[in-house]
Amino acid sequence: MGGEIRPEIQSRAFAHWPAGSGDVDDMRACLELEHTTWKMNEGSAGYSSSDPNVAAAVRLMGYDLTVDDAYFHDTAAGSTTVGVRVSNNGVAPFYYPWTVSLGLKDSAGNVVKSWDTPWDLREVMPEKIRAFPDWGVGSDPTYLAYGHARYFDADIDLTGVTAGGYRLVMKAKNPLEDISSDAKKLRFANTGQNADGWLDLGAMTVGSGGGADPAGYEAEAGGNTLTGTAVVAGCAGCSGGAKVGYLGNGATLTFPRVDGGDGGTRQVTVHYATAVARSATVQVNGGTPRTVDFAPTADWTTPGSVTLSLALDSGTGNSVTLGNDSGWAPDIDRITVT
Protein backbone atom coordinates (compact mmCIF):
# COMPACT_ATOMS: atom_id res chain seq x y z
CA MET A 1 0.00 0.00 0.00
CA GLY A 2 1.40 3.35 -0.95
CA GLY A 3 1.01 6.42 -3.09
CA GLU A 4 2.55 9.69 -4.15
CA ILE A 5 2.86 12.68 -1.85
CA ARG A 6 1.38 15.73 -3.57
CA PRO A 7 4.20 17.28 -5.66
CA GLU A 8 3.73 20.80 -4.30
CA ILE A 9 4.39 19.69 -0.70
CA GLN A 10 7.05 17.02 -1.27
CA SER A 11 9.99 19.17 -0.12
CA ARG A 12 8.29 20.00 3.21
CA ALA A 13 5.98 17.03 3.79
CA PHE A 14 7.61 16.13 7.11
CA ALA A 15 8.80 19.58 8.23
CA HIS A 16 6.03 19.71 10.86
CA TRP A 17 5.88 16.01 11.70
CA PRO A 18 3.66 14.54 12.88
CA ALA A 19 0.70 16.93 12.87
CA GLY A 20 1.44 18.85 9.66
CA SER A 21 0.83 22.52 9.06
CA GLY A 22 -1.05 24.64 6.53
CA ASP A 23 -1.63 22.65 3.34
CA VAL A 24 0.39 19.67 4.68
CA ASP A 25 -1.87 17.06 6.23
CA ASP A 26 -1.32 15.20 9.50
CA MET A 27 1.22 12.79 8.00
CA ARG A 28 1.18 10.44 10.98
CA ALA A 29 -2.58 10.01 10.58
CA CYS A 30 -2.11 9.46 6.85
CA LEU A 31 0.41 6.65 7.38
CA GLU A 32 -1.57 4.96 10.15
CA LEU A 33 -4.98 5.12 8.46
CA GLU A 34 -3.64 4.06 5.04
CA HIS A 35 -1.42 1.30 6.53
CA THR A 36 1.28 2.80 4.34
CA THR A 37 4.28 0.72 3.28
CA TRP A 38 5.93 3.35 1.02
CA LYS A 39 5.55 6.89 -0.27
CA MET A 40 6.67 8.17 -3.66
CA ASN A 41 8.43 11.48 -3.12
CA GLU A 42 10.74 12.95 -5.77
CA GLY A 43 11.56 15.75 -3.34
CA SER A 44 13.17 13.36 -0.89
CA ALA A 45 16.59 13.96 -2.50
CA GLY A 46 16.65 17.31 -0.73
CA TYR A 47 16.14 15.87 2.74
CA SER A 48 18.98 15.85 5.24
CA SER A 49 20.09 12.34 6.11
CA SER A 50 19.97 13.35 9.78
CA ASP A 51 16.44 14.84 9.69
CA PRO A 52 14.68 13.28 12.73
CA ASN A 53 11.21 13.97 11.33
CA VAL A 54 11.92 12.04 8.13
CA ALA A 55 13.47 9.22 10.15
CA ALA A 56 10.37 8.96 12.36
CA ALA A 57 8.06 8.87 9.34
CA VAL A 58 10.10 6.17 7.59
CA ARG A 59 10.21 4.05 10.76
CA LEU A 60 6.42 4.24 11.04
CA MET A 61 5.79 2.97 7.51
CA GLY A 62 5.22 -0.70 6.77
CA TYR A 63 5.75 -3.77 8.91
CA ASP A 64 7.82 -4.04 12.09
CA LEU A 65 8.45 -7.74 12.66
CA THR A 66 10.02 -8.99 15.89
CA VAL A 67 10.81 -12.57 16.87
CA ASP A 68 9.52 -12.40 20.45
CA ASP A 69 10.78 -15.84 21.42
CA ALA A 70 12.39 -18.97 20.01
CA TYR A 71 11.73 -22.51 21.20
CA PHE A 72 14.24 -25.30 20.61
CA HIS A 73 16.42 -27.81 22.41
CA ASP A 74 19.83 -26.48 23.38
CA THR A 75 21.29 -29.88 22.51
CA ALA A 76 19.79 -31.95 19.70
CA ALA A 77 20.48 -34.79 17.29
CA GLY A 78 18.47 -36.46 14.52
CA SER A 79 15.13 -34.70 14.02
CA THR A 80 14.24 -31.77 16.29
CA THR A 81 11.52 -29.12 16.37
CA VAL A 82 12.21 -25.38 16.20
CA GLY A 83 9.49 -22.84 16.95
CA VAL A 84 9.37 -19.05 16.86
CA ARG A 85 6.80 -16.45 17.84
CA VAL A 86 6.63 -13.37 15.61
CA SER A 87 4.80 -10.10 16.31
CA ASN A 88 4.17 -7.06 14.11
CA ASN A 89 4.32 -3.61 15.71
CA GLY A 90 4.02 -1.79 12.40
CA VAL A 91 1.09 -0.18 10.58
CA ALA A 92 0.97 -2.75 7.75
CA PRO A 93 1.45 -6.48 7.22
CA PHE A 94 4.26 -7.99 5.19
CA TYR A 95 2.73 -8.52 1.75
CA TYR A 96 4.96 -11.11 0.07
CA PRO A 97 5.32 -14.91 0.49
CA TRP A 98 9.09 -14.85 0.85
CA THR A 99 10.59 -18.19 1.88
CA VAL A 100 11.52 -18.37 5.57
CA SER A 101 14.47 -20.65 6.30
CA LEU A 102 16.27 -21.95 9.36
CA GLY A 103 20.00 -22.55 9.37
CA LEU A 104 23.05 -23.41 11.44
CA LYS A 105 26.14 -21.20 11.49
CA ASP A 106 29.52 -22.50 12.56
CA SER A 107 31.98 -20.57 14.73
CA ALA A 108 33.30 -18.77 11.65
CA GLY A 109 29.83 -17.50 10.75
CA ASN A 110 29.34 -19.84 7.78
CA VAL A 111 25.90 -21.35 7.20
CA VAL A 112 26.67 -25.08 7.14
CA LYS A 113 23.09 -26.28 6.59
CA SER A 114 19.69 -24.70 6.04
CA TRP A 115 16.07 -25.82 5.87
CA ASP A 116 13.14 -24.10 4.13
CA THR A 117 9.95 -23.85 6.19
CA PRO A 118 6.28 -23.35 5.21
CA TRP A 119 6.02 -20.29 7.46
CA ASP A 120 4.12 -17.37 5.93
CA LEU A 121 4.96 -13.95 7.34
CA ARG A 122 1.85 -12.50 5.67
CA GLU A 123 -0.12 -14.07 8.53
CA VAL A 124 1.48 -11.76 11.11
CA MET A 125 -0.96 -8.87 11.26
CA PRO A 126 -0.26 -5.53 13.03
CA GLU A 127 -1.10 -5.87 16.73
CA LYS A 128 -2.96 -2.55 16.77
CA ILE A 129 -4.53 -0.30 14.13
CA ARG A 130 -5.78 3.25 14.24
CA ALA A 131 -9.57 3.52 14.39
CA PHE A 132 -11.20 4.79 11.19
CA PRO A 133 -12.19 7.53 10.62
CA ASP A 134 -10.13 8.82 13.53
CA TRP A 135 -8.94 11.98 11.77
CA GLY A 136 -8.25 15.42 13.16
CA VAL A 137 -8.12 14.30 16.78
CA GLY A 138 -4.71 15.76 17.54
CA SER A 139 -2.26 13.78 19.66
CA ASP A 140 -4.84 11.40 21.18
CA PRO A 141 -6.12 9.04 18.47
CA THR A 142 -7.86 5.76 19.26
CA TYR A 143 -6.11 2.47 18.55
CA LEU A 144 -7.83 -0.90 18.34
CA ALA A 145 -6.42 -4.34 19.11
CA TYR A 146 -6.19 -6.18 15.80
CA GLY A 147 -3.53 -8.83 15.22
CA HIS A 148 -1.56 -11.00 17.61
CA ALA A 149 1.81 -12.70 17.84
CA ARG A 150 1.92 -15.68 15.46
CA TYR A 151 3.59 -18.96 16.44
CA PHE A 152 5.32 -21.08 13.77
CA ASP A 153 7.24 -24.33 14.12
CA ALA A 154 9.00 -26.83 11.88
CA ASP A 155 10.97 -30.04 12.20
CA ILE A 156 14.57 -29.98 10.99
CA ASP A 157 16.76 -33.01 10.25
CA LEU A 158 20.26 -32.72 11.72
CA THR A 159 21.49 -35.89 10.03
CA GLY A 160 24.90 -35.26 8.50
CA VAL A 161 25.68 -32.18 10.61
CA THR A 162 29.04 -32.56 12.36
CA ALA A 163 28.67 -32.71 16.14
CA GLY A 164 29.60 -29.46 17.85
CA GLY A 165 28.41 -25.98 18.77
CA TYR A 166 26.46 -23.82 16.32
CA ARG A 167 24.23 -20.74 16.16
CA LEU A 168 20.64 -21.41 15.12
CA VAL A 169 19.57 -18.72 12.64
CA MET A 170 16.47 -17.73 10.67
CA LYS A 171 16.01 -15.78 7.43
CA ALA A 172 13.21 -14.49 5.18
CA LYS A 173 14.89 -14.47 1.77
CA ASN A 174 14.36 -11.65 -0.71
CA PRO A 175 14.01 -13.43 -4.10
CA LEU A 176 16.11 -10.65 -5.67
CA GLU A 177 19.13 -12.08 -3.77
CA ASP A 178 19.26 -14.75 -6.50
CA ILE A 179 19.79 -11.95 -9.02
CA SER A 180 22.00 -9.42 -7.25
CA SER A 181 24.17 -9.35 -4.15
CA ASP A 182 22.95 -5.78 -3.63
CA ALA A 183 19.37 -6.92 -2.97
CA LYS A 184 18.01 -5.55 0.30
CA LYS A 185 17.63 -8.02 3.15
CA LEU A 186 14.52 -8.32 5.28
CA ARG A 187 15.55 -7.27 8.77
CA PHE A 188 13.74 -8.31 11.93
CA ALA A 189 13.62 -5.78 14.77
CA ASN A 190 15.93 -7.86 16.99
CA THR A 191 19.41 -7.09 18.27
CA GLY A 192 20.50 -10.49 16.95
CA GLN A 193 19.78 -9.45 13.34
CA ASN A 194 22.87 -9.83 11.15
CA ALA A 195 23.66 -7.77 8.05
CA ASP A 196 23.60 -10.94 5.90
CA GLY A 197 19.86 -11.29 6.57
CA TRP A 198 20.18 -14.14 9.09
CA LEU A 199 18.61 -13.56 12.52
CA ASP A 200 20.44 -15.21 15.42
CA LEU A 201 18.03 -17.32 17.53
CA GLY A 202 20.57 -18.75 19.97
CA ALA A 203 23.12 -21.51 20.49
CA MET A 204 22.48 -25.13 19.58
CA THR A 205 24.81 -28.01 20.28
CA VAL A 206 24.43 -30.81 17.75
CA GLY A 207 25.15 -34.24 19.22
CA SER A 208 26.54 -37.22 17.37
CA GLY A 209 23.32 -39.13 17.95
CA GLY A 210 25.19 -41.94 19.69
CA GLY A 211 24.36 -40.79 23.19
CA ALA A 212 27.98 -40.70 24.34
CA ASP A 213 28.34 -36.94 24.41
CA PRO A 214 27.44 -35.13 27.63
CA ALA A 215 24.27 -33.05 27.63
CA GLY A 216 25.21 -29.42 27.12
CA TYR A 217 23.36 -26.24 28.05
CA GLU A 218 24.54 -22.91 26.66
CA ALA A 219 24.49 -19.93 29.04
CA GLU A 220 23.13 -17.63 26.31
CA ALA A 221 20.23 -19.95 25.34
CA GLY A 222 16.89 -18.19 25.01
CA GLY A 223 15.11 -20.29 27.65
CA ASN A 224 17.48 -19.34 30.46
CA THR A 225 16.64 -16.73 33.11
CA LEU A 226 18.99 -13.77 33.64
CA THR A 227 18.47 -11.33 36.50
CA GLY A 228 20.06 -8.05 37.52
CA THR A 229 23.07 -6.99 35.47
CA ALA A 230 23.55 -10.41 33.82
CA VAL A 231 23.88 -10.03 30.05
CA VAL A 232 24.74 -12.12 26.98
CA ALA A 233 28.06 -11.09 25.41
CA GLY A 234 30.18 -12.25 22.49
CA CYS A 235 33.06 -14.61 23.30
CA ALA A 236 35.28 -15.83 20.47
CA GLY A 237 36.62 -18.81 22.40
CA CYS A 238 33.32 -19.88 23.95
CA SER A 239 30.96 -22.57 22.73
CA GLY A 240 28.47 -20.95 20.37
CA GLY A 241 30.52 -17.74 20.32
CA ALA A 242 28.79 -16.24 23.38
CA LYS A 243 28.70 -16.25 27.17
CA VAL A 244 26.80 -14.62 30.04
CA GLY A 245 28.73 -11.97 31.97
CA TYR A 246 28.22 -9.47 34.78
CA LEU A 247 27.00 -12.22 37.08
CA GLY A 248 27.20 -11.67 40.82
CA ASN A 249 26.42 -8.81 43.17
CA GLY A 250 22.90 -10.18 43.12
CA ALA A 251 22.70 -10.99 39.38
CA THR A 252 22.03 -14.64 38.56
CA LEU A 253 21.87 -17.08 35.64
CA THR A 254 19.43 -20.02 35.80
CA PHE A 255 19.42 -23.07 33.51
CA PRO A 256 15.78 -24.20 33.83
CA ARG A 257 15.51 -27.57 32.06
CA VAL A 258 18.54 -29.62 33.08
CA ASP A 259 18.13 -33.36 32.49
CA GLY A 260 18.94 -35.43 35.56
CA GLY A 261 18.36 -38.76 33.82
CA ASP A 262 17.23 -41.30 36.42
CA GLY A 263 18.17 -38.91 39.22
CA GLY A 264 20.92 -39.01 41.83
CA THR A 265 24.44 -37.62 41.87
CA ARG A 266 25.58 -36.35 38.48
CA GLN A 267 28.79 -34.73 37.31
CA VAL A 268 28.05 -31.15 36.26
CA THR A 269 30.90 -29.27 34.56
CA VAL A 270 30.78 -25.47 34.56
CA HIS A 271 32.64 -23.93 31.63
CA TYR A 272 33.63 -20.35 32.47
CA ALA A 273 36.01 -17.50 31.69
CA THR A 274 37.62 -15.05 34.10
CA ALA A 275 40.95 -13.26 34.04
CA VAL A 276 40.98 -13.07 37.86
CA ALA A 277 40.11 -15.53 40.60
CA ARG A 278 36.43 -15.42 41.46
CA SER A 279 33.82 -17.46 43.28
CA ALA A 280 30.17 -18.24 42.63
CA THR A 281 27.30 -19.99 44.31
CA VAL A 282 25.69 -22.98 42.59
CA GLN A 283 22.12 -23.79 43.59
CA VAL A 284 20.09 -26.80 42.44
CA ASN A 285 16.28 -26.70 42.42
CA GLY A 286 16.14 -23.81 44.88
CA GLY A 287 18.13 -25.71 47.53
CA THR A 288 21.04 -24.55 49.67
CA PRO A 289 23.61 -22.63 47.58
CA ARG A 290 27.10 -24.10 47.36
CA THR A 291 30.09 -21.77 47.03
CA VAL A 292 32.62 -22.76 44.37
CA ASP A 293 36.02 -21.18 43.64
CA PHE A 294 37.00 -20.53 40.02
CA ALA A 295 40.68 -20.14 39.15
CA PRO A 296 41.74 -17.53 36.58
CA THR A 297 41.69 -18.54 32.91
CA ALA A 298 44.05 -17.15 30.26
CA ASP A 299 41.72 -14.20 29.59
CA TRP A 300 38.02 -13.28 29.37
CA THR A 301 37.48 -15.29 26.16
CA THR A 302 39.39 -18.51 26.91
CA PRO A 303 37.18 -20.91 28.90
CA GLY A 304 38.26 -23.18 31.73
CA SER A 305 36.11 -25.67 33.60
CA VAL A 306 35.22 -26.91 37.08
CA THR A 307 33.40 -30.21 37.63
CA LEU A 308 30.99 -30.60 40.54
CA SER A 309 29.00 -33.52 41.95
CA LEU A 310 25.41 -32.35 42.20
CA ALA A 311 22.24 -34.17 43.24
CA LEU A 312 19.66 -33.91 40.47
CA ASP A 313 16.08 -35.14 40.33
CA SER A 314 15.03 -37.53 37.60
CA GLY A 315 13.74 -36.02 34.37
CA THR A 316 14.25 -32.64 32.76
CA GLY A 317 12.73 -30.41 35.44
CA ASN A 318 15.96 -29.49 37.23
CA SER A 319 17.14 -25.92 37.58
CA VAL A 320 20.75 -24.85 38.19
CA THR A 321 21.38 -21.26 39.28
CA LEU A 322 24.76 -19.51 39.40
CA GLY A 323 25.42 -16.19 41.09
CA ASN A 324 27.22 -14.43 43.93
CA ASP A 325 25.48 -12.22 46.49
CA SER A 326 28.60 -10.39 47.66
CA GLY A 327 30.92 -10.07 44.67
CA TRP A 328 31.37 -10.71 40.97
CA ALA A 329 31.15 -14.25 39.60
CA PRO A 330 33.03 -15.58 36.54
CA ASP A 331 31.49 -15.29 33.09
CA ILE A 332 29.64 -18.52 32.19
CA ASP A 333 30.00 -20.24 28.81
CA ARG A 334 27.89 -23.37 29.40
CA ILE A 335 27.35 -26.40 31.62
CA THR A 336 27.51 -30.07 30.69
CA VAL A 337 26.01 -33.02 32.59
CA THR A 338 27.28 -36.62 32.64
Side-chain angles (χ1 to χ4, degrees), residues 37 62-66 84 86-88 91-100 117-127 146-152 170 172-173 175 186 188:
T37 305
Y63 58 87
D64 184 356
L65 300 175
T66 302
V84 297
V86 185
S87 64
N88 186 351
V91 300
F94 185 74
Y95 289 106
Y96 301 97
W98 288 4
T99 300
V100 179
T117 75
W119 303 347
D120 191 344
L121 294 179
R122 295 176 298 177
E123 299 176 7
V124 189
M125 292 289 111
E127 293 198 351
Y146 183 68
H148 57 83
R150 178 74 164 81
Y151 175 78
F152 302 96
M170 165 184 168
K173 183 181 177 181
L186 184 145
F188 292 92

Coordinates of all heavy atoms in Angstrom, one line a residue, residues 37 62-66 84 86-88 91-100 117-127 146-152 170 172-173 175 186 188:
T37 N 3.0 1.4 3.3 CA 4.3 0.7 3.3 C 5.3 1.6 2.7 O 6.5 1.6 3.0 CB 4.2 -0.6 2.4 OG1 3.1 -1.4 3.0 CG2 5.4 -1.3 2.4
G62 N 5.0 0.7 7.0 CA 5.2 -0.7 6.8 C 5.2 -1.6 8.0 O 4.6 -1.3 9.0
Y63 N 5.7 -2.8 7.9 CA 5.8 -3.8 8.9 C 6.9 -3.5 9.9 O 7.9 -2.8 9.6 CB 5.9 -5.2 8.3 CG 7.2 -5.3 7.5 CD1 8.4 -5.7 8.1 CD2 7.2 -5.0 6.1 CE1 9.5 -5.8 7.3 CE2 8.3 -5.1 5.4 CZ 9.5 -5.5 6.0 OH 10.7 -5.6 5.2
D64 N 6.8 -4.1 11.1 CA 7.8 -4.0 12.1 C 7.8 -5.4 12.8 O 7.1 -5.6 13.8 CB 7.5 -2.9 13.1 CG 8.7 -2.7 14.1 OD1 9.6 -3.5 14.1 OD2 8.6 -1.8 14.9
L65 N 8.5 -6.4 12.2 CA 8.4 -7.7 12.7 C 9.5 -8.0 13.7 O 10.7 -7.7 13.5 CB 8.6 -8.7 11.5 CG 7.6 -8.6 10.3 CD1 8.0 -9.5 9.2 CD2 6.2 -8.9 10.9
T66 N 9.1 -8.6 14.8 CA 10.0 -9.0 15.9 C 9.8 -10.5 16.2 O 8.7 -10.9 16.4 CB 9.8 -8.1 17.1 OG1 9.9 -6.8 16.8 CG2 10.8 -8.5 18.3
V84 N 9.1 -20.5 16.6 CA 9.4 -19.1 16.9 C 8.0 -18.4 17.0 O 7.0 -18.8 16.5 CB 10.2 -18.4 15.7 CG1 11.6 -18.9 15.6 CG2 9.4 -18.4 14.4
V86 N 6.3 -14.6 16.3 CA 6.6 -13.4 15.6 C 5.5 -12.4 15.8 O 4.3 -12.8 15.7 CB 6.8 -13.6 14.1 CG1 7.2 -12.3 13.4 CG2 7.8 -14.7 13.8
S87 N 5.8 -11.2 16.2 CA 4.8 -10.1 16.3 C 5.1 -9.0 15.3 O 6.2 -8.8 14.8 CB 4.8 -9.6 17.7 OG 6.0 -8.9 18.0
N88 N 4.1 -8.2 15.1 CA 4.2 -7.1 14.1 C 3.7 -5.8 14.8 O 2.5 -5.6 15.1 CB 3.3 -7.3 12.9 CG 3.5 -6.3 11.8 OD1 4.1 -5.3 12.0 ND2 2.9 -6.5 10.6
V91 N 2.4 -0.6 11.0 CA 1.1 -0.2 10.6 C 0.6 -1.0 9.4 O -0.6 -0.9 9.0 CB 1.1 1.3 10.1 CG1 1.5 2.2 11.3 CG2 2.0 1.5 8.9
A92 N 1.4 -1.9 8.9 CA 1.0 -2.8 7.8 C 1.5 -4.2 7.9 O 2.5 -4.4 8.6 CB 1.5 -2.1 6.5
P93 N 0.9 -5.1 7.2 CA 1.4 -6.5 7.2 C 2.6 -6.6 6.2 O 2.9 -5.6 5.5 CB 0.3 -7.3 6.8 CG -0.6 -6.4 5.9 CD -0.4 -5.0 6.5
F94 N 3.3 -7.7 6.2 CA 4.3 -8.0 5.2 C 3.5 -8.7 4.1 O 2.8 -9.7 4.3 CB 5.4 -8.9 5.7 CG 6.5 -9.2 4.8 CD1 7.4 -8.2 4.5 CD2 6.6 -10.4 4.1 CE1 8.4 -8.4 3.6 CE2 7.6 -10.6 3.2 CZ 8.5 -9.6 3.0
Y95 N 3.6 -8.1 2.8 CA 2.7 -8.5 1.8 C 3.2 -9.7 0.8 O 2.5 -10.1 -0.1 CB 2.4 -7.3 0.9 CG 1.6 -6.3 1.5 CD1 2.1 -5.1 2.0 CD2 0.2 -6.5 1.7 CE1 1.3 -4.1 2.6 CE2 -0.6 -5.5 2.3 CZ 0.0 -4.3 2.7 OH -0.8 -3.4 3.3
Y96 N 4.4 -10.2 1.0 CA 5.0 -11.1 0.1 C 5.3 -12.5 0.7 O 5.7 -12.5 1.8 CB 6.2 -10.5 -0.5 CG 6.0 -9.2 -1.2 CD1 6.2 -8.0 -0.6 CD2 5.5 -9.2 -2.5 CE1 6.0 -6.8 -1.2 CE2 5.2 -8.0 -3.1 CZ 5.5 -6.8 -2.5 OH 5.2 -5.6 -3.1
P97 N 5.1 -13.6 0.0 CA 5.3 -14.9 0.5 C 6.8 -15.3 0.4 O 7.1 -16.3 -0.3 CB 4.4 -15.8 -0.4 CG 4.4 -15.1 -1.7 CD 4.4 -13.6 -1.4
W98 N 7.7 -14.5 0.9 CA 9.1 -14.9 0.9 C 9.4 -16.1 1.7 O 8.8 -16.3 2.8 CB 9.9 -13.7 1.4 CG 10.0 -12.5 0.5 CD1 9.3 -12.4 -0.7 CD2 10.7 -11.3 0.6 NE1 9.6 -11.1 -1.3 CE2 10.5 -10.5 -0.5 CE3 11.6 -10.9 1.6 CZ2 11.0 -9.2 -0.6 CZ3 12.2 -9.6 1.5 CH2 11.9 -8.8 0.4
T99 N 10.2 -16.9 1.2 CA 10.6 -18.2 1.9 C 11.3 -17.9 3.2 O 12.3 -17.2 3.2 CB 11.5 -19.1 1.0 OG1 10.7 -19.4 -0.2 CG2 11.8 -20.4 1.7
V100 N 10.9 -18.5 4.3 CA 11.5 -18.4 5.6 C 12.3 -19.6 5.8 O 11.8 -20.8 5.7 CB 10.5 -18.2 6.7 CG1 11.2 -18.1 8.0 CG2 9.7 -16.9 6.4
T117 N 11.1 -23.6 5.4 CA 10.0 -23.8 6.2 C 8.7 -23.4 5.4 O 8.8 -22.6 4.5 CB 10.0 -23.1 7.5 OG1 9.7 -21.7 7.3 CG2 11.3 -23.2 8.2
P118 N 7.5 -23.8 5.8 CA 6.3 -23.4 5.2 C 5.7 -22.1 5.9 O 4.6 -21.7 5.6 CB 5.3 -24.5 5.4 CG 5.7 -25.1 6.7 CD 7.3 -25.0 6.8
W119 N 6.5 -21.4 6.7 CA 6.0 -20.3 7.5 C 5.7 -19.1 6.5 O 6.5 -18.8 5.6 CB 7.1 -19.8 8.5 CG 7.5 -20.9 9.5 CD1 6.8 -22.1 9.7 CD2 8.6 -20.9 10.3 NE1 7.5 -22.9 10.6 CE2 8.6 -22.1 11.0 CE3 9.6 -20.0 10.6 CZ2 9.6 -22.5 12.0 CZ3 10.6 -20.3 11.5 CH2 10.6 -21.5 12.2
D120 N 4.6 -18.5 6.8 CA 4.1 -17.4 5.9 C 4.0 -16.1 6.8 O 3.1 -15.9 7.6 CB 2.8 -17.7 5.3 CG 2.3 -16.8 4.2 OD1 2.9 -15.7 4.1 OD2 1.4 -17.1 3.5
L121 N 4.9 -15.2 6.6 CA 5.0 -13.9 7.3 C 3.8 -13.0 7.0 O 3.5 -12.1 7.8 CB 6.3 -13.2 7.1 CG 7.5 -13.9 7.6 CD1 8.8 -13.0 7.2 CD2 7.5 -14.1 9.1
R122 N 3.0 -13.3 6.0 CA 1.8 -12.5 5.7 C 0.8 -12.7 6.7 O -0.2 -11.9 6.8 CB 1.3 -12.9 4.3 CG 2.2 -12.5 3.1 CD 1.7 -13.0 1.8 NE 1.6 -14.4 1.8 CZ 1.0 -15.1 0.8 NH1 0.6 -14.4 -0.3 NH2 1.0 -16.4 0.8
E123 N 0.9 -13.8 7.5 CA -0.1 -14.1 8.5 C 0.1 -13.2 9.8 O -0.8 -13.2 10.7 CB -0.1 -15.6 8.9 CG -0.4 -16.5 7.7 CD -0.2 -17.9 8.1 OE1 0.0 -18.2 9.3 OE2 -0.3 -18.8 7.2
V124 N 1.2 -12.5 9.9 CA 1.5 -11.8 11.1 C 0.9 -10.4 10.9 O 1.6 -9.5 10.4 CB 3.0 -11.7 11.4 CG1 3.2 -11.1 12.8 CG2 3.6 -13.1 11.3
M125 N -0.3 -10.2 11.4 CA -1.0 -8.9 11.3 C -0.5 -7.9 12.3 O 0.0 -8.2 13.4 CB -2.5 -9.0 11.4 CG -3.1 -9.8 10.3 SD -3.1 -8.9 8.7 CE -2.0 -9.9 7.8
P126 N -0.6 -6.5 12.0 CA -0.3 -5.5 13.0 C -1.1 -5.7 14.3 O -2.3 -6.0 14.2 CB -0.7 -4.2 12.3 CG -0.6 -4.5 10.9 CD -1.0 -5.9 10.7
E127 N -0.4 -5.6 15.5 CA -1.1 -5.9 16.7 C -2.1 -4.8 17.1 O -3.1 -5.1 17.8 CB -0.1 -6.0 17.9 CG 0.8 -7.2 17.7 CD 1.5 -7.6 19.0 OE1 1.4 -6.9 20.0 OE2 2.1 -8.7 19.0
Y146 N -5.9 -5.6 17.1 CA -6.2 -6.2 15.8 C -5.5 -7.6 15.7 O -6.2 -8.6 15.8 CB -5.8 -5.2 14.7 CG -6.2 -5.8 13.3 CD1 -7.5 -5.9 12.9 CD2 -5.2 -6.2 12.4 CE1 -7.8 -6.4 11.7 CE2 -5.5 -6.7 11.1 CZ -6.9 -6.7 10.8 OH -7.2 -7.2 9.6
G147 N -4.2 -7.6 15.4 CA -3.5 -8.8 15.2 C -3.0 -9.4 16.5 O -3.3 -8.9 17.6
H148 N -2.2 -10.4 16.4 CA -1.6 -11.0 17.6 C -0.3 -11.7 17.2 O -0.1 -12.0 16.0 CB -2.5 -12.0 18.3 CG -3.0 -13.1 17.4 ND1 -2.2 -14.2 17.2 CD2 -4.1 -13.2 16.7 CE1 -2.9 -15.0 16.4 NE2 -4.1 -14.5 16.0
A149 N 0.6 -12.0 18.1 CA 1.8 -12.7 17.8 C 1.5 -14.1 17.2 O 0.6 -14.7 17.7 CB 2.6 -12.9 19.1
R150 N 2.2 -14.4 16.2 CA 1.9 -15.7 15.5 C 3.0 -16.7 15.8 O 4.2 -16.4 15.6 CB 1.9 -15.4 14.0 CG 1.6 -16.6 13.1 CD 0.2 -17.1 13.1 NE -0.1 -18.0 12.0 CZ 0.3 -19.3 12.0 NH1 0.9 -19.8 13.0 NH2 0.0 -20.0 10.9
Y151 N 2.6 -17.9 16.1 CA 3.6 -19.0 16.4 C 3.8 -19.9 15.2 O 2.8 -20.3 14.6 CB 3.1 -19.8 17.6 CG 4.0 -21.0 17.9 CD1 5.2 -20.8 18.6 CD2 3.6 -22.3 17.5 CE1 6.1 -21.9 18.8 CE2 4.5 -23.3 17.8 CZ 5.7 -23.2 18.4 OH 6.5 -24.2 18.7
F152 N 5.0 -20.1 14.9 CA 5.3 -21.1 13.8 C 6.3 -22.1 14.3 O 7.1 -21.8 15.2 CB 6.0 -20.4 12.6 CG 5.3 -19.2 12.0 CD1 5.5 -17.9 12.4 CD2 4.3 -19.5 11.0 CE1 4.8 -16.9 11.8 CE2 3.6 -18.4 10.4 CZ 3.9 -17.1 10.8
M170 N 17.7 -17.8 11.4 CA 16.5 -17.7 10.7 C 16.5 -16.6 9.6 O 17.1 -15.5 9.9 CB 15.3 -17.5 11.6 CG 14.0 -17.1 11.0 SD 12.8 -16.8 12.4 CE 11.5 -16.1 11.5
A172 N 14.2 -14.6 6.2 CA 13.2 -14.5 5.2 C 13.9 -14.0 3.9 O 14.4 -12.8 3.9 CB 12.1 -13.5 5.6
K173 N 14.0 -14.8 2.9 CA 14.9 -14.5 1.8 C 14.2 -13.6 0.7 O 13.1 -14.0 0.2 CB 15.4 -15.8 1.1 CG 16.3 -15.5 0.0 CD 16.8 -16.8 -0.7 CE 17.7 -16.6 -1.9 NZ 18.1 -17.8 -2.5
P175 N 13.7 -12.7 -2.9 CA 14.0 -13.4 -4.1 C 15.0 -12.7 -5.0 O 15.7 -13.4 -5.8 CB 12.6 -13.5 -4.8 CG 11.6 -13.4 -3.7 CD 12.3 -12.5 -2.7
L186 N 15.5 -8.6 4.3 CA 14.5 -8.3 5.3 C 15.2 -8.4 6.6 O 15.9 -9.3 7.0 CB 13.4 -9.4 5.2 CG 12.2 -9.2 6.2 CD1 10.9 -9.6 5.5 CD2 12.4 -9.9 7.5
F188 N 14.6 -8.3 10.8 CA 13.7 -8.3 11.9 C 14.2 -7.3 13.0 O 15.4 -6.9 13.0 CB 13.7 -9.7 12.5 CG 13.1 -10.7 11.7 CD1 13.9 -11.5 10.8 CD2 11.7 -11.0 11.7 CE1 13.3 -12.4 10.0 CE2 11.1 -11.9 10.9 CZ 11.9 -12.7 10.0

